Amino acid sequence: MKNINLFIAALFSFAFLSAQNSNRVFKSAVKQGLDLKIEVNDGYYLIKPYSSNIIETTFVPTGEYFKVESHAVVAKPYNSYFEMTDRGNDILLKTKGLYVSITKSPFQISYYYKDKFIVSEKEGYVKTDSLETIDFNLTKDEVLYGGGARALGMNRRGNRLQLYNRAHYGYETHSELMNFTMPIVVSSKQYMLHFDNAPIGFLDLDSKGDNSLKYETISGRKTYQVIVGDSWLDMMDVYTDLTGKQPMLPRWALGNFSSRFGYHSQQEVEETIAKFNDEKIPVDAIILDLYWFGKELKGTMGNLEVFRDSFPDFEGMVKRLNDKGVKTITITEPFILTTSKKWDEAVEKKILAKDSVGNPAKYDFYFGNTGLIDIYNPDGEKWFWNIYKDLANKGVAGIWGDLGEPEVHPDWVQHKTGSANEVHNIYGHDWARLIFEGYKRDFPDTRPFILMRAGYSGSQRYGMIPWSGDVNRTWGGLQSQPEIALQMGIQGLAYMHSDLGGFAGANLDDELYVRWLQYGVFNPIYRPHAQEDVPSEPIFRSEKAKALAKQAIELRYKLLPYNYNLVYENNQFGKPLMRPLFFEESDNADLFNYSKTYLWGNDILVSPVLEAEITEQDVYFPDDNVWFDYYTDEKIKGGQTKTVKLNESSIPTYVRAGAFIPNTNVVQTTEEFEDTHYKIDYYHDSSVLTSKRQIYSDDGNSAKAIKNKDFEVLNFEMTTRGSKLEFKITDKIGTNFSPKSRVFYLTIHGLKHKPKRITVGRHDAFDWSETSKTARIPIERNTGETSVITIKIKN
């Protein structure tokens, strides 16, 4: 009783210290099904707990109706039990975690998690002459993230961010508005606010310095969710439960892509892949830009059929590439030019967005006079999907959707479900949905690859793989990339990546190119891409750049099992692949605005080289850990910033003590990957007494591998027992997974001396390297066995 009284006292003390809405008058509160309905003088609130970590609040003004449909939310409030208590001055809604206090006078809504204050409405919902707004109180020390993809520094507080997807060609270190905006705010206090509304608007993150956060929109739902968790990763799991988990990528999507703007002919495509093979540089996919459907840059967009003059045997080409393990990906855009082959058909079938009098909307942009496919018209959606279905039947393995902001989208254009401004931000989102649902319906066992540069909150559930747009090919362009990727990861879009090497500008800088590709090793997607004037493929660069790029690409392939496990963790738990260091030290304010070093998964620390001609740089090593230099095995104690020497063949990379890092032989394509031979590196330090890791494996292709229980999870454990290290390898096998016999090569790093004895069952053979101080242990293992390895070490 004492604790709850203190809690209620805290509620009141905060309420009277914070800005409130003195004009809104409380009338009544009633529990209504799964909601709490609060009647006020100018409308009513519906407060809906989805779980103990998610509460949704909607305001419905007098004279309006509740708009149920959400572009983002897929979760159902099945476990939304809550208690409602009227305590005189306030109404208390209580779940097992989140609390909501509705102060009656002056009216205010405040949120708490496990008795800790989270956030409160300021004036709440207000309608002005041009915008509808919802505002909140902030504490002075909060750092704010979110708003989608921007280049502003990690802390975005102090900015008023426009919510309008728009391309920024040739950006570098600063970009206030880019292709992929989201109505999400993430606080360093470890909560999220998601404004569940599609029309355009703004996020004002305390731009006036009055400790306020304001969402502004032209129309639509007055709905937001408060999302919390016990850790950063827990909060990511909760948010992606609400808006949908990212499907598993096919394994080949983790390989190297050959891509440029663009390949003009079938001959050029096949010769390019042949050169990769001749140079023994791994490659898994080739991306065809707009020349696959037209000879000219302008005037042909919307043809969306193979241009046979340049690709006379398109289907044969795709098959020959596929036989070599190389997938084909084709670009598409939602624009149908009036000069294209499909214009008359599009007009006849009435699949285009309209003008104010119902005619096909036509306007000019860079590529010509155009119309826009109305994907909100069922006929338009069906017509567009049939284009993709035909490509898939031709053997095309992935889809590139470009210009999907849409790049030019006049506000007078009308769609089936609303105006351009009402659907603009979710056009790319629903374009991805169209493709994802088409694959699910017509190719149900195929994992789609959907590359797009524009979407909205929740787009991850449609398998969207976003990239950061037309970045300048400069050091400034590279410097903004870690921030953009890390920000998007904490907003649910874990596969944000960049055109490796940079896209815009005729800058033939081999050092920049190599450093960008080295950074790309620890990116979700490895895809060099550029305008034609400078080659993006390593096979066409200088001998030195080619050799260094090859090393980076080979490391990417070596880490394939580790990276594939990150895909699984993201699919199951919403974990970003790239993670900011404040995930490690959530109370270290020095890390809240830090993006120069980040975590790749749980166990690899990466510090990309972002400046020209430097020979050393500072790296922060997270506390309460020991870190191994990946290349030298030097140990570094965490909790410090250390100046490290640089070399041209790699960027600073470190492994957490206690980590099991799976790796494999380098292959030309991922189709040659064999998981019957596993290399496992364990990083030993006496500070780690126990350690556990898992590695997920399946066929790399089936969309239903987990559902059909056709997978395997390998479990690795280490326990210290006096002067012995005991390792165990076990497995969890899906009922439809085919058992495999394997040979593991377990390498122990960090030993001071050659072990006195190593036993694996009845065997005791191992290799010792005095130079690297590593022990390499062969382990033959059958599925279902428990393998025990005991190492007697010298103190």
Side-chain angles (χ1 to χ4, degrees), residues 555-572:
L555 177 57
R556 175 74 174 188
Y557 278 74
K558 180 181 177 182
L559 290 171
L560 184 61
Y562 179 86
N563 295 346
Y564 194 64
N565 191 65
L566 300 186
V567 172
Y568 168 74
E569 288 185 340
N570 172 257
N571 168 258
Q572 293 291 298

Side-chain angles (χ1 to χ4, degrees), residues 351 373-388 430-431 433-435 437-438 441:
I351 61 140
I373 300 171
D374 188 359
I375 61 174
Y376 297 97
N377 177 346
D379 291 335
E381 178 175 342
K382 182 179 179 181
W383 184 90
F384 211 4
W385 167 247
N386 283 334
I387 299 290
Y388 295 118
D430 284 314
W431 186 11
R433 175 194 54 76
L434 177 162
I435 299 170
E437 291 179 352
R441 181 176 59 249

Side-chain angles (χ1 to χ4, degrees), residues 311-375:
F311 295 85
D313 184 22
F314 182 87
E315 293 83 355
M317 177 195 75
V318 171
K319 183 179 185 304
R320 288 187 293 274
L321 292 173
N322 198 50
D323 289 344
K324 295 176 181 177
V326 178
K327 310 301 180 185
T328 302
I329 299 165
T330 50
I331 195 172
T332 56
E333 303 90 356
F335 296 97
I336 309 294
L337 299 190
T338 56
T339 55
S340 73
K341 295 177 181 179
K342 293 277 194 295
W343 174 257
D344 290 341
E345 179 185 338
V347 172
E348 179 187 350
K349 293 184 179 295
K350 300 180 180 180
I351 61 140
L352 299 170
K354 309 297 184 184
D355 62 17
S356 59
V357 294
N359 296 318
K362 293 189 291 184
Y363 48 88
D364 294 330
F365 80 137
Y366 175 80
F367 293 95
N369 186 250
T370 193
L372 178 67
I373 300 171
D374 188 359
I375 61 174

Side-chain angles (χ1 to χ4, degrees), residues 232-256:
W232 284 99
L233 290 177
D234 183 42
M235 186 175 72
M236 293 307 309
D237 193 19
V238 170
Y239 170 72
T240 50
D241 277 345
L242 178 71
T243 59
K245 293 289 199 285
Q246 178 105 20
M248 291 281 293
L249 265 62
R251 186 183 281 116
W252 61 262
L254 296 174
N256 176 37

Side-chain angles (χ1 to χ4, degrees), residues 109-299:
I109 300 177
S110 304
Y111 299 88
Y112 295 76
Y113 183 56
K114 296 182 177 178
D115 297 354
K116 178 182 177 182
F117 171 72
I118 299 298
V119 71
S120 64
E121 286 192 358
K122 198 169 189 176
E123 292 189 359
Y125 171 78
V126 175
K127 184 175 176 60
T128 67
D129 290 340
S130 59
L131 295 168
E132 298 180 86
T133 70
I134 309 172
D135 69 346
F136 296 81
N137 293 294
L138 294 171
T139 56
K140 292 181 179 180
D141 58 344
E142 283 182 77
V143 173
L144 300 179
Y145 314 100
R150 324 258 177 171
L152 295 170
M154 287 292 283
N155 184 5
R156 294 176 174 179
R157 187 166 180 167
N159 292 280
R160 184 172 182 251
L161 306 178
Q162 187 176 2
L163 296 172
Y164 187 88
N165 292 351
R166 176 177 291 158
H168 183 173
Y169 179 83
Y171 71 91
E172 294 188 354
T173 57
H174 185 84
S175 181
E176 295 183 12
L177 186 62
M178 293 175 63
N179 312 72
F180 203 126
T181 67
M182 285 193 281
I184 292 174
V185 181
V186 184
S187 168
S188 58
K189 289 172 60 179
Q190 214 166 284
Y191 70 85
M192 300 176 70
L193 283 171
H194 172 241
F195 297 95
D196 192 359
N197 190 41
I200 65 173
F202 296 88
L203 274 179
D204 191 326
L205 306 184
D206 197 26
S207 67
K208 296 177 181 177
D210 59 353
N211 297 321
S212 64
L213 182 162
K214 183 178 289 186
Y215 170 70
E216 306 167 284
T217 183
I218 61 167
S219 64
R221 287 158 55 89
K222 277 64 80 170
T223 297
Y224 63 87
Q225 293 94 26
V226 179
I227 301 124
V228 296
D230 293 324
S231 68
W232 284 99
L233 290 177
D234 183 42
M235 186 175 72
M236 293 307 309
D237 193 19
V238 170
Y239 170 72
T240 50
D241 277 345
L242 178 71
T243 59
K245 293 289 199 285
Q246 178 105 20
M248 291 281 293
L249 265 62
R251 186 183 281 116
W252 61 262
L254 296 174
N256 176 37
F257 288 66
S258 179
S259 182
R260 77 162 83 136
F261 180 34
Y263 300 108
H264 290 259
S265 68
Q266 174 180 321
Q267 180 180 352
E268 190 176 15
V269 168
E270 296 198 77
E271 287 179 351
T272 298
I273 294 302
K275 191 166 179 59
F276 270 98
N277 290 334
D278 291 343
E279 299 281 357
K280 292 184 169 49
I281 297 178
V283 64
D284 260 86
I286 189 163
I287 299 181
L288 308 188
D289 215 309
L290 45 75
Y291 298 112
W292 76 268
F293 56 69
K295 191 174 184 62
E296 303 299 329
L297 178 63
K298 296 184 179 181

Side-chain angles (χ1 to χ4, degrees), residues 660 715-721 724-731 744 746 748 757-765 777-782 784-792:
F660 291 86
N715 301 296
F716 297 86
E717 299 181 37
M718 189 286 299
T719 305
T720 303
R721 303 186 188 282
K724 292 182 180 179
L725 306 179
E726 182 179 276
F727 292 84
K728 285 186 179 179
I729 305 174
T730 58
D731 53 39
F744 288 87
L746 176 64
I748 314 298
R757 183 174 64 256
I758 295 179
T759 57
V760 183
R762 292 176 295 177
H763 304 284
D764 58 4
I777 310 158
I779 306 160
E780 294 184 6
R781 184 177 180 279
N782 295 317
E785 292 180 347
T786 297
S787 300
V788 180
I789 304 96
T790 304
I791 303 177
K792 175 71 172 176

